[in-house]
Amino acid sequence: MEMNFLDLPEECIAAVISFTSPYDACRISAVSKLLRSAADSNNTWERFLPSDYRMCIDNSLSRFSNKQLFLRFCESPLLIEDGRTSFWMEKRSGKKCWMLSARKLDIVWVDSPEFWIWVSIPDSRFEEVAGLLMVCWFEIRGKISTSLLSKATNYGAYLVFKEQEMGAFGFESLPLEVSFRSTRSEVYNNRRVFLKSGTQESREDGWLEIELGEYYVGFDDEEIEMSVLETREGGWKGGIIVQGIEIRPKELL
């Protein structure tokens, strides 16, 4: 005897929908009242949330439904780890995104006030950003575990920065060596890019970014390292503000 999909109990329909994507669940909810009830249920959206999402929320978010909580993660990045890391989710696919603030990065000479200064500016998501005065050894590194990222996903890493009012200097003729790779890999995927007008992308939030590389996150947990540096030429450079390094999916569903 054939059974219509809509004859199944609502919890079964919700379980099936949970194996799709947030985008598909929203489309399915527009088909009928029954499907809307199943597609909007907590059981469906529980699967779209990170397994450890309860560690990221406070009491003000505990009253949200799972769908509301997912949309909250997508529309307003959360600050965690004492406000030094930002987490959000890509709305269409539900994949995880992160930004490591300048305070979470290893920046050579960052605590020497003759070279770098810590400042607060209104359009940064973090309390402090790193302002580069002038250095001849430019080196920024960061690390993240793939356990924090979505599996089977191609990620890109991006240095997020802006120029100071006086303008950036010393970067026009000196290429930066950038990389985004596994710390266990013996294969270096370093490449060289210029930080100058026309080579960086402008973001919706008003900041600039340059891509450091891409890395495919499989199913093994490992540590990946991001780096951007210029240590060979020794020329003086400065005039930028570093907000952090963003790690987000490159291929969205």
Side-chain angles (χ1 to χ4, degrees):
M1 182 178 69
E2 293 184 0
M3 175 178 287
N4 190 299
F5 176 67
L6 297 180
D7 292 333
L8 293 171
E10 182 178 310
E11 58 268 25
C12 294
I13 296 175
V16 173
I17 297 174
S18 72
F19 282 93
T20 62
S21 70
Y23 176 73
D24 291 329
C26 290
R27 294 182 64 189
I28 292 171
S29 69
V31 174
S32 68
K33 290 184 178 180
L34 174 61
L35 289 179
R36 181 181 304 115
S37 179
D40 289 348
S41 70
N42 276 335
N43 289 339
T44 295
W45 288 86
E46 178 82 21
R47 187 176 178 87
F48 300 144
L49 291 168
S51 59
D52 57 351
Y53 75 91
R54 296 185 187 279
M55 299 175 60
C56 301
I57 64 175
D58 54 29
N59 292 333
S60 66
L61 299 177
S62 60
R63 59 183 174 81
F64 283 29
S65 70
N66 286 342
K67 182 178 181 180
Q68 291 173 326
L69 195 57
F70 175 89
L71 295 175
R72 170 66 172 77
F73 284 159
C74 295
E75 295 166 358
S76 183
L78 293 179
L79 291 178
I80 59 177
E81 296 184 338
D82 295 327
R84 297 185 176 191
T85 302
S86 176
F87 166 78
W88 70 103
M89 301 179 74
E90 199 283 316
K91 193 172 185 178
R92 188 180 179 94
S93 67
K95 293 184 181 294
K96 303 174 187 177
C97 308
W98 296 86
M99 184 187 285
L100 308 181
S101 71
R103 282 289 190 186
K104 284 285 290 185
L105 303 175
D106 292 325
I107 304 176
V108 172
W109 293 342
V110 73
D111 291 319
S112 299
E114 65 268 34
F115 301 120
W116 291 85
I117 56 172
W118 292 104
V119 296
S120 298
I121 55 178
D123 59 352
S124 170
R125 70 180 62 177
F126 302 111
E127 183 177 349
E128 291 181 305
V129 293
L132 173 60
L133 299 179
M134 186 169 60
V135 293
C136 59
W137 186 286
F138 184 81
E139 181 175 348
I140 299 176
R141 297 183 184 273
K143 293 181 180 179
I144 190 169
S145 171
T146 57
S147 64
L148 299 175
L149 305 176
S150 299
K151 304 301 184 183
T153 301
N154 199 37
Y155 273 88
Y158 306 83
L159 178 70
V160 181
F161 69 101
K162 65 169 47 179
E163 293 189 21
Q164 299 179 27
E165 290 185 6
M166 63 180 179
F169 63 90
F171 293 100
E172 294 82 2
S173 59
L174 301 174
L176 300 174
E177 188 174 285
V178 299
S179 179
F180 184 38
R181 66 177 185 87
S182 167
T183 56
R184 299 185 306 182
S185 174
E186 296 181 359
V187 178
Y188 288 75
N189 62 346
N190 294 4
R191 61 193 185 94
R192 296 173 75 79
V193 300
F194 283 93
L195 192 159
K196 60 182 179 180
S197 299
T199 62
Q200 62 266 357
E201 296 292 330
S202 181
R203 299 157 49 96
E204 292 182 358
D205 59 9
W207 289 73
L208 302 172
E209 67 179 33
I210 56 172
E211 184 177 347
L212 308 185
E214 61 183 74
Y215 188 83
Y216 180 78
V217 175
F219 294 92
D220 295 330
D221 288 342
E222 58 183 334
E223 196 168 49
I224 45 180
E225 180 184 76
M226 304 142 282
S227 63
V228 50
L229 51 98
E230 197 294 295
T231 60
R232 298 183 179 183
E233 301 295 335
W236 290 98
K237 56 197 74 67
I240 66 170
I241 298 172
V242 176
Q243 182 173 188
I245 293 180
E246 186 170 287
I247 305 99
R248 64 176 189 261
K250 295 201 68 176
E251 299 173 358
L252 304 180
L253 299 177

